[in-house]
Amino acid sequence: MESPGAATRADRVRALVAAHRGDRGALLPILHRIQEEFGYIDADDVPVLAAELNISRADVHGVVTFYTDFRSEPAGRTVVRLCRAEACQAVGAERLIAYAEQSLGVALGQTTPDGAVTLEQVFCLGNCALGPSGQVDGQLHGRLTPARLDALLAASRAAAPAAYEVTTSGKTVNS
Amino acid sequence: MTTPVTVYVPRDSAALSVGADLVAAELERVAAQAGRSVRVVRNGSRGMLWLEPLVEVVTERGRIGYGPVAPERVGELVAAGLFDGADHELCQGVVEELPWLRNQTRLCFARVGVIDPLSPEDYVAHGGLAGLRAALATSPAEVVAEVTESGLRGRGGAGFPAGIKWKTVADTPDTLKFVCCNADEGDSGTFADRMLMEGDPFTLIEGMTIAAYAVGASEGYVYIRSEYPDAVRTMRRAIAIAREQGWLGDDILGSGLRFDLHVRVGAGAYICGEETAMLESLEGKRGMVRAKPPIPAISGLFGKPTVVNNVLTLASVPAILADGAAAYQALGVARSRGTQVFQLAGNVARGGVVETAFGMTLGELVHTYGGGTRSGRPVRAVQVGGPLGAYLPADRLDLPLEYEAFAAAGAMLGHGGVVVFDDTVDMAAMARFAMEFCAEESCGKCTPCRVGAVRGVETIDKIVAGQDPDGNLALLNDLCELMTEGSLCAMGGLTPMPVRSALLHFPDDFTARTERRAEESAGRFEEAKS
């Protein structure tokens, strides 16, 4: 039996498919829209998409799992992607990544236990003359150092405080 | 003073990555405080990336540049007279007279960094649409002939003559044909496609429209990787503006030509830069490489005749049509005609975009333009052509930058990316990374690539660990040969190139680490004794 939330999501997915009805080969744009809205592609979205697009569930599943961008579960509140491609390696990307892994206490591809930060690798952000490069919540940053990474993480934590830290009066309380 | 001072602050994402937005905001704030009337224009980047954020002020002498400008230095610069082009330690002088820029031949990048990328008025005022108008004044067949004659070759990496590809599409009859721009610029060390799309998107639209006219296509797609969100936004806005201007749509420039363009965003798969994988992805499928034939020019997107060209190939077309094939032909050497946009990256003092006629040496690019390494240590290796390109040692920098010379040296120009490494680089680690990257990004369709890359990582690990190095080196060589000969596409086929070049030029890096460490500590012991 579907919960009311699930029914809402399925309806929304159908609406997103309808919005791309006139587009050729629309599965990728639709998946991007779903992820934009919900933060991930749920396993339950797959049969809905298959039925709406008249393709097999295997086809949809195959596409969702082929591309690195599509998540099967929500990411942390802040997503940090650090470039590991050659040009950034030439200016110390591996050291920066080791620092990030150590200071956050997670490996590449993992989310901190409090759900605050997801740390990921990426192969090239097109900022190869100003490396090491990284993206914090989609925003590109160059010439990253451990100190700058810490500052960016602190800033994004301040901008997106955890829900439990905010009281009804809007003041933050110490956790 | 009533006339506002025009100040340029780049909106290119490389400039944004080092604080350009903050600089622009700060300039406006400080100007308001000082009671100066200022017009801030967000241009593309000039490509002198070590100077970013590069602020330019319009003066009677020309555009005076200041860089790199940190947001916290704006107040000091304005106090020193930045709005009047006054001297300061960050003042670079008249930007267009800087030798780094002046000595380049900018055709693709003529307007990048100069204009407001989303201003159609700026575009036309700086020569935009001249190519499309010239094309529409002749027949499609003549446009194809012009591009063929220019000698333009695909800038994505393969270097296939663009005119021949276009002719094939033009000669394949169908009611529906496509023009697809490959903007899945995944090679490390390359960013020219991104800079062009962010800095002069109308040029790409114009180039694609000319291609559509030449081959009889009515629909086009720009496939941009998701790692480039700023380029996606700029291209989408540019396409909307172009439609409003009548540069796209049902009656382009009143000629009756019908062509429309759409942006599609990748989803984090390097392989989608391979043209057939890109077509699969555009069709909404997994980015699996197709076997060729049939070639996309005959059976491409949804089985229709399709032009697939790289951003820089298509962006070269307007200049070719505007100034004629002969002018383009006159640049370059041998079978490499026209200009190539090189991108200096990695451990380099002055990184950025160098567009120049083919034929300059790699050393000139790395040392004269690049100024050697950023770390100040000696250059040890240079990788040209992305993650599938060869590593060249410091003593091979005499190589001229052209397709055939590179091929003869067992290397390739690829998309023009040049990544510099200093003497701290561990080339065995870089060779291992090449295999690791291939294993990570292989589409999995063919075995040499899918399995070979994994075995490659394991074999390099064994060599470095000192396990039967001779046997494993022979095995690695066999594996490289198999991948080169047996892979379906360039991903598996070229991964051996960085591996083998690293083995050839830097064999000592592959000797057992334990052995090396023992030698090193022995060396230190000797030093300490003396």
Side-chain angles (χ1 to χ4, degrees), chain B residues 185-196:
Chain B
E185 185 180 47
D187 286 359
S188 170
T190 66
F191 42 83
D193 293 353
R194 179 187 63 65
M195 285 185 60
L196 187 112

Side-chain angles (χ1 to χ4, degrees), chain B residues 2-23:
Chain B
T2 48
T3 40
V5 181
T6 304
V7 183
Y8 289 87
V9 184
R11 50 178 291 160
D12 181 275
S13 51
L16 299 184
S17 83
V18 286
D21 271 348
L22 293 173
V23 170

